[in-house]
Amino acid sequence: MTPVATPFFFYLLSGLAIAGGLLVITRRNAVHSALALIVTLLAVAGLYLMLYAPFVAGVQIIVYAGGIMVLFLFVIMLVSLERTIKERQFNRMWPVGLFAACALLALFMSVFAKGRALFPDRVPPPPEASNTQQIGVMLYGNYMFAFEIASLLLLVAILGAVIMAKKRI
Amino acid sequence: MLDSFMSYLGSSVTPGEANNQLWALIYVLIIFAGVSVAVMAMNWLERKALAHFQVRLGPMRVGPHGLLQPIADAVKLLIKEDIIPAESDKFVFWIAPIIGLLAAFTVYTVVPFGPSQAVSDMNIGILFMLGVSSLAVLGVVMAGWASNSHYPLIGALRSSAQMVSYEVAMGLAVVSAILMTSLHGAGLYGVSKLSDGTGTLSMIGIVQAQQEQQVWFLFKFFPLGLIAFVIFAIAMIAETNRAPFDLPEAESELTAGFHTEYSGLRWSLFMLAEYAAMIAVSAIAVTLWLGGWLRPFPTWLSGPAWDFIFALFPGLTFVGLAAIAFLGTVRMPKHSYFRVQTIGLAAFGAVLALIGVLLLGIVIGAKVSDHDILNRTTEGLSNVFWFVFKVAVFMYLYIWYRATWPRYRFDQLMKVGWKVMLPISLGVLIVTAIVGVLL
Amino acid sequence: MNAPTKTDPNALSNLDLETPEKTYLDSNELIINMGPQHPATHGVLRVILKLDGEKVLGTECVIGYLHRGVEKIAENRTYTMFNPYVDRMDYVAAVSNGLGYCQAVEKLLNVEAPPRANYIRVILTELNRIASHQLWLGTHALDIGAMTPLFYTFRDREEILKIFEKYCGARLTTHAFRIGGCLYETYAGFEKDVKNFLAFFPSKIGEYEELLTTNRIWLERTKKVGVISAADAIALGVTGPVLRASGVKWDIRKAQPYANYAEFDFEIPTGENGDTYDRYLVRIAEMRQSLRIIEQAVNGIPEGPIMAKVPKVIKPPVGEIYHSIEAPKGELGYFIVSDGSTQPYRVRVRPPSFVNLQALDVMVRGLLVADVVAVIGTLDIVLGEVDR
């Protein structure tokens, strides 16, 4: 399938992602922030699709937009709105954060500028139909060990959360 | 324009694959209208069937046997005052039903009504369906929160916990069906003709795999396929918040749950989304386990004669429905008060009979003349019919469950989800993989 | 009587309860008003729920939304005139209410209703008990989410109401009895109607049971839910099926027989665990026992007068009387003080629903919101009787 109007959709999705990201940190209402974050995540999923990575896009929607954001909302909904409105929106460390963000941006820009020399000009897109299969081969073949370690780490995190939340098991 | 319209007619792939935007749009419109009509029909059918389960008549006043009741309801909901609670979060309140509706309708892009009767075929089709339908919970959560009221909030909390929990068991059941798409049921070890001997996530590919292996996944590796199917069938009721898992809108506890503060058009959007989602998850179940558009007994009752007989089914169904309508017409009370209703029911029966005769005519015409267009139409009709028929069976089951069972309590629901369904589905997945490798 | 084991009854009315075990993820406590307009509170009961998530920390019942001052009205009406008012208390068991009141006044007057009147009274009262239990079963199942039993029970309740209508012209608030006996002789075909009902109803009970008794979800929703121990039940004054489900064999029809209940052979069904499921079983069994009583009564109904000799103007001697009967919901008592005039000096009703409702708090603490609904249903309260 050949993509239609590629630049248009690229800029649309990127714009949505950035706008959503800005809204996340500027909204006073935490639920509105979460909704903006969902927009960002969906826009990023769209970008994955444009990069011929449909599997990652699907997982992004299921796991982040469908699963994690619901849990976020779950917690946020129970927070008292009046209290959050009264609280300061940014803490005193914000210049540090801004500096770090600028540094990251500079890094990206320099890689983008100099990267043309480092990376091959254009990678031929892998066949879309076998994308899922390739991911499977990579995850359960080449990177089996790393994958299992990651899942063990997550298991530890789950156990920790259970222990913190429940005194008596 | 006409070119692109005509050029697709001879192709045997979906409009998405053929890169034909015009036909994709036509398909989208057909599906949108079809699903909306199906929701209305389901609304009528549910009230009627439920009433007959419960020794009552159900709607009888608006139109013959209440046939126009859904339309009357829709009109009533449209012209109702649109209330937004004063203390609510207006924007979120406004957008929540739209999100629910969008999520419910977007999944239909990949629902395979036939090998070419789908808007598009994605190679991550099933993942897309699960992912987008999981977004529906956002609408519910936002509605509950934005209402700024206790009952909707509790309803939303329940619903989000419930949907997220049952998605896990549902996903694992789906994975074990996907494993079966390769011949032996072990992913890469299979030798299916589809994409280098691997399994597939594409909705159309899944049905084609069942066609090639000559077995519905319900019966593959008996009873593994059956267990996975049952898990999915239970989880999908929980996903769509229907009885006996209708806790988010348990009226005896939470008045109406997350949509307590909604009324009029917005409320009807929630209802539309709920029923559309029910049809969508049923479509997933049909695709994964019940052979999608494939007709029953393809090997046992094979041969052109049986093919012809099964091709007659769509037409015969409409003729049968027409016969029921005519029976109703005859049994109408002979009183001038009922004259309009009697005529209406007769006309309805006549329309059904006309459709039935038309369908039968196409099939018989194809048999006699062997014309290409007629043949393809026959095949397409047959595909769509069997798919819709299987989905309709699930729809009826939904009503049946609702008439029969009490409601689960929230902690029991969670217990069933996490302590029963999850281990079983995980076990089925592992055993399916092992069986696949050993075979 | 044993002292309550779990809770101090004096502490029931305040919501200042012990906080639950602290965890790192504590959510705010939520106070929810269930009612007075709520589909599951069976009328206009308002229950203030204090919740931790969905867990109930405590409840407070606010009643009085249906208060009509029935007891005060009695002081301004003659004994005869007050009779129809009692039908409006427990309006789903109006016949029982009337029986209790008529018998209390008869006791005060020292009059005895004739045997035939007693038989008619027993038949109608037991039919009314079945009707009341049917209504309870339907609404209780509906609260737990099963829609269908409601329609089945209403279909069969209709047959009972038809008998009432043919007998006295009213279906719900019947005013069937008069002080001293019955006003109406049975209509032609009364016995046939009752026997028809006796013939078809047992299979209908089977139909209800088929839907619920072994239904897995029903079992999970009702077993070990709303448990009340025998000691607690006695301490709170709970009577009727709720008490019997806790294992106490207390039925006024047996303990202090009134009318001619002593002549009939029937059993008192009891439960063991005092949970919602046992209360369900007890009431189902009571319907069957009522059928037994009706069968014996309709077969043994004697000929004779239906009205005792009662003066035209009822003027009981000075004195007071307490008379109680076993209404479908529990002990229904009338305390009447007479000052010798035509109007009672004071009437006090001991309504079973009002007293049973006290047990709600004990029964639902630590359960979930959904269980509150189930427990309100299983208590079988009628707000007309609670508020009077």
Side-chain angles (χ1 to χ4, degrees):
Chain A
M1 205 199 301
T2 46
V4 190
T6 319
F8 170 73
F9 278 112
F10 173 76
Y11 286 115
L12 179 74
L13 290 170
S14 324
L16 271 177
I18 291 171
L22 284 176
L23 285 175
V24 171
I25 54 169
T26 51
R27 291 295 92 190
R28 275 195 171 276
N29 191 329
V31 174
H32 291 179
S33 293
L35 296 181
L37 190 52
I38 292 169
V39 172
T40 306
L41 291 171
L42 289 180
V44 171
L47 285 177
Y48 287 148
L49 268 183
M50 296 192 66
L51 290 169
Y52 297 94
F55 184 80
V56 183
V59 168
Q60 167 95 0
I61 293 176
I62 290 186
V63 174
Y64 284 96
I68 291 180
M69 285 320 294
V70 172
L71 293 182
F72 270 34
L73 282 169
F74 198 95
V75 176
I76 293 170
M77 281 197 307
L78 295 175
V79 173
S80 160
L81 260 184
E82 289 80 23
R83 215 192 309 163
T84 48
I85 302 255
K86 275 183 218 130
E87 263 171 22
R88 291 159 48 90
Q89 191 162 16
F90 300 102
N91 67 11
R92 273 175 296 169
M93 301 294 276
W94 69 268
V96 182
L98 189 66
F99 175 74
C102 289
L104 195 65
L105 183 68
L107 187 66
F108 282 154
M109 296 295 261
S110 70
V111 169
F112 182 70
K114 294 185 182 169
R116 288 164 197 270
L118 294 172
F119 298 113
D121 200 21
R122 188 186 166 87
V123 186
E128 196 190 346
S130 62
N131 172 273
T132 310
Q133 183 194 350
Q134 282 172 341
I135 287 179
V137 172
M138 287 292 179
L139 273 186
Y140 294 100
N142 301 7
Y143 301 107
M144 179 84 166
F145 190 61
F147 180 79
E148 293 298 335
I149 284 185
S151 56
L152 199 68
L153 202 64
L154 286 175
L155 183 68
V156 171
I158 293 171
L159 289 180
V162 169
I163 287 169
M164 277 174 74
K166 241 186 150 85
K167 249 185 187 168
R168 215 178 34 225
I169 297 171
Chain B
M1 186 97 168
L2 195 66
D3 274 358
S4 76
F5 183 83
M6 294 306 286
S7 69
Y8 176 69
L9 284 179
S11 95
S12 61
V13 290
T14 60
E17 212 167 331
N19 214 352
N20 189 320
Q21 277 90 25
L22 181 68
W23 268 96
L25 189 67
I26 293 173
Y27 271 31
V28 166
L29 289 179
I30 290 176
I31 289 177
F32 189 82
V35 171
S36 303
V37 170
V39 168
M40 285 179 117
M42 177 69 188
N43 181 307
W44 178 82
L45 193 71
E46 175 161 22
R47 292 166 76 165
K48 257 343 225 193
L50 209 55
H52 287 224
F53 276 117
Q54 298 168 343
V55 293
R56 21 183 208 111
L57 288 173
M60 286 298 278
R61 294 298 178 103
V62 190
H65 287 266
L67 274 172
L68 299 177
Q69 187 71 47
I71 297 169
D73 283 352
V75 171
K76 174 210 139 194
L77 287 169
L78 280 175
I79 58 178
K80 252 179 117 164
E81 185 190 353
D82 185 28
I83 301 168
I84 296 185
E87 290 294 307
S88 67
D89 189 314
K90 306 262 179 329
F91 175 70
V92 182
F93 191 85
W94 177 80
I95 205 170
I98 296 173
I99 288 183
L101 195 68
L102 270 181
F105 273 94
T106 308
V107 292
Y108 284 97
T109 36
V110 293
V111 170
F113 293 93
S116 62
Q117 284 84 13
V119 177
S120 181
D121 182 30
M122 293 190 196
N123 65 335
I124 52 153
I126 181 69
L127 213 58
F128 176 82
M129 276 199 91
L130 290 180
V132 175
S133 63
S134 76
L135 292 183
V137 66
L138 289 176
V140 171
V141 171
M142 284 158 66
W145 178 80
S147 300
N148 199 4
S149 164
H150 280 158
Y151 285 126
L153 184 66
I154 294 183
L157 287 178
R158 279 185 176 187
S159 147
S160 53
Q162 172 180 336
M163 287 165 100
V164 169
S165 307
Y166 274 78
E167 237 158 53
V168 180
M170 194 171 174
L172 287 173
V174 166
V175 171
S176 70
I178 292 170
L179 275 188
M180 293 178 179
T181 53
S182 66
L183 183 57
H184 291 309
L188 289 167
Y189 297 97
V191 285
S192 158
K193 273 177 283 180
L194 289 155
S195 44
D196 309 322
T198 60
T200 175
L201 291 175
S202 135
M203 296 292 273
I204 289 178
I206 290 168
V207 181
Q208 279 167 345
Q210 300 182 49
Q211 196 170 14
E212 277 176 37
Q213 300 175 21
Q214 303 213 325
V215 60
W216 291 1
F217 289 157
L218 181 64
F219 304 111
K220 193 171 178 181
F221 299 153
F222 193 82
L224 291 177
L226 184 65
I227 298 174
F229 168 73
V230 170
I231 295 277
F232 186 90
I234 295 172
M236 79 187 205
I237 306 167
E239 278 288 297
T240 45
N241 296 333
R242 291 282 301 187
F245 302 112
D246 55 346
L247 297 124
E249 41 203 277
E251 58 178 8
S252 56
E253 297 148 31
L254 304 176
T255 53
F258 61 87
H259 55 61
T260 304
E261 305 287 347
Y262 280 81
S263 65
L265 181 61
R266 275 175 236 287
W267 180 84
S268 69
L269 290 185
F270 272 121
M271 282 297 110
L272 192 59
E274 182 183 320
Y275 282 91
M278 280 159 63
I279 299 175
V281 286
S282 304
I284 299 182
V286 167
T287 309
L288 285 179
W289 283 281
L290 295 180
W293 65 79
L294 305 177
R295 73 170 172 84
F297 311 120
T299 45
W300 183 39
L301 303 175
S302 56
W306 281 111
D307 281 346
F308 176 66
I309 290 172
F310 275 102
L312 287 175
F313 266 75
L316 290 178
T317 307
F318 274 95
V319 172
L321 290 176
I324 294 172
F326 286 136
L327 192 71
T329 315
V330 175
R331 290 176 54 187
M332 269 282 189
K334 304 280 178 291
H335 187 276
S336 60
Y337 180 78
F338 292 99
R339 187 172 297 150
V340 177
Q341 293 216 346
T342 313
I343 294 169
L345 193 57
F348 183 67
V351 170
L352 287 176
L354 207 66
I355 296 173
V357 169
L358 186 70
L359 295 181
L360 286 178
I362 290 173
V363 173
I364 294 169
K367 181 79 177 169
V368 174
S369 69
D370 206 26
H371 193 276
D372 184 49
I373 294 277
L374 283 182
N375 274 337
R376 289 164 50 80
T377 315
T378 306
E379 201 191 319
L381 279 176
S382 170
N383 290 336
V384 174
F385 171 77
W386 284 113
F387 191 87
V388 172
F389 178 79
K390 290 169 187 172
V391 171
V393 170
F394 276 93
M395 291 293 111
Y396 183 75
L397 287 178
Y398 270 117
I399 303 173
W400 195 353
Y401 298 153
R402 191 174 165 199
T404 312
W405 283 329
R407 186 180 296 119
Y408 262 113
R409 203 175 60 205
F410 189 66
D411 58 327
Q412 293 164 348
L413 177 90
M414 285 292 147
K415 206 176 76 190
V416 171
W418 288 104
K419 292 187 179 167
V420 181
M421 308 251 296
L422 182 61
I424 292 179
S425 56
L426 205 56
V428 168
L429 175 61
I430 292 169
V431 176
T432 309
I434 292 173
V435 170
V437 174
L438 292 182
L439 275 179
Chain C
M1 294 282 165
N2 295 330
T5 49
K6 270 195 288 190
T7 345
D8 175 14
N10 296 327
L12 283 177
S13 61
N14 63 45
L15 273 174
D16 187 26
L17 305 155
E18 78 278 16
T19 40
E21 184 188 0
K22 282 274 174 206
T23 65
Y24 288 97
L25 294 178
D26 266 339
S27 52
N28 291 338
E29 281 163 3
L30 203 60
I31 298 219
I32 270 200
N33 264 315
M34 196 185 241
Q37 309 296 334
H38 190 281
T41 55
H42 293 216
V44 283
L45 172 66
R46 176 171 159 220
V47 185
I48 303 173
L49 295 172
K50 189 176 178 189
L51 302 178
D52 170 34
E54 288 225 12
K55 201 171 142 198
V56 178
L57 300 179
T59 63
E60 187 172 349
C61 291
V62 183
I63 59 170
Y65 291 91
L66 204 58
H67 178 65
R68 292 151 299 174
V70 169
E71 291 169 0
K72 188 71 188 168
I73 290 172
E75 294 166 21
N76 300 305
R77 299 284 182 277
T78 64
Y79 287 93
T80 323
M81 281 164 73
F82 182 60
N83 197 356
Y85 282 91
V86 295
D87 286 357
R88 273 81 181 164
M89 292 193 308
D90 182 358
Y91 40 78
V92 298
V95 181
S96 302
N97 292 0
L99 178 70
Y101 175 72
C102 290
Q103 286 196 321
V105 180
E106 282 161 20
K107 239 182 182 176
L108 203 57
L109 286 167
N110 223 348
V111 195
E112 195 58 34
R116 183 173 169 82
N118 270 339
Y119 271 87
I120 296 173
R121 283 178 170 187
V122 165
I123 293 172
L124 292 181
T125 314
E126 290 305 318
L127 281 176
N128 201 181
R129 186 186 309 280
I130 294 175
S132 167
H133 282 352
Q134 278 172 331
L135 188 119
W136 159 79
L137 179 62
T139 50
H140 182 41
L142 187 67
D143 287 346
I144 296 186
M147 294 166 80
T148 312
L150 178 78
F151 295 97
Y152 286 8
T153 56
F154 268 59
R155 173 193 61 192
D156 305 331
R157 182 167 169 264
E158 192 63 25
E159 301 304 317
I160 297 176
L161 297 186
K162 272 182 198 159
I163 294 177
F164 287 167
E165 190 179 5
K166 281 187 184 172
Y167 176 72
C168 60
R171 288 156 55 87
L172 202 64
T173 46
T174 48
H175 192 202
F177 309 137
R178 300 292 186 276
I179 295 159
C182 308
L183 180 62
Y184 309 112
E185 183 49 80
T186 55
Y187 61 90
F190 173 78
E191 285 178 30
K192 196 170 137 259
D193 280 358
V194 174
K195 277 178 182 161
N196 273 348
F197 180 76
L198 289 174
F200 94 92
F201 189 57
S203 70
K204 301 295 175 190
I205 301 183
E207 225 168 68
Y208 311 155
E209 285 213 89
E210 202 175 319
L211 271 172
L212 297 174
T213 304
T214 52
N215 185 317
R216 203 183 158 72
I217 302 177
W218 180 260
L219 290 176
E220 291 207 21
R221 283 302 304 275
T222 54
K223 277 209 161 173
K224 299 200 173 63
V225 168
V227 180
I228 186 163
S229 67
D232 273 0
I234 291 170
L236 285 164
V238 169
T239 49
V242 184
L243 178 65
R244 289 193 282 277
S246 298
V248 182
K249 214 166 180 152
W250 176 258
D251 188 321
I252 300 186
R253 289 175 294 176
K254 284 271 192 204
Q256 303 160 4
Y258 53 93
N260 55 349
Y261 274 107
E263 295 172 25
F264 302 118
D265 173 35
F266 65 97
E267 279 154 28
I268 308 174
T270 54
E272 286 167 8
N273 309 318
D275 57 9
T276 304
Y277 185 65
D278 276 11
R279 287 188 279 275
Y280 158 77
L281 287 184
V282 163
R283 286 195 178 102
I284 290 277
E286 274 185 16
M287 285 197 223
R288 294 216 165 92
Q289 295 302 324
S290 290
L291 287 178
R292 265 178 79 183
I293 298 173
I294 298 170
E295 194 172 9
Q296 294 167 43
V298 82
N299 287 330
I301 188 164
E303 293 298 322
I306 50 165
M307 197 69 184
K309 280 217 176 315
V310 181
K312 277 253 155 39
V313 178
I314 293 171
K315 243 181 173 180
V318 179
E320 57 182 51
I321 194 80
Y322 177 78
H323 179 71
S324 63
I325 64 158
E326 184 72 23
K329 293 166 179 65
E331 178 181 345
L332 171 69
Y334 289 90
F335 177 67
I336 303 177
V337 181
S338 162
D339 55 0
S341 69
T342 54
Q343 295 173 343
Y345 178 75
R346 171 87 170 97
V347 171
R348 151 79 190 159
V349 186
R350 182 221 185 268
S353 299
F354 175 69
V355 181
N356 289 358
L357 187 57
Q358 284 190 95
L360 180 70
D361 189 74
V362 179
M363 286 156 88
V364 300
R365 271 193 202 187
L367 303 182
L368 303 177
V369 181
D371 292 326
V372 176
V373 171
V375 171
I376 292 177
T378 189
L379 281 174
D380 191 14
I381 50 164
V382 164
L383 266 296
E385 192 180 47
V386 173
D387 295 343
R388 300 190 298 292

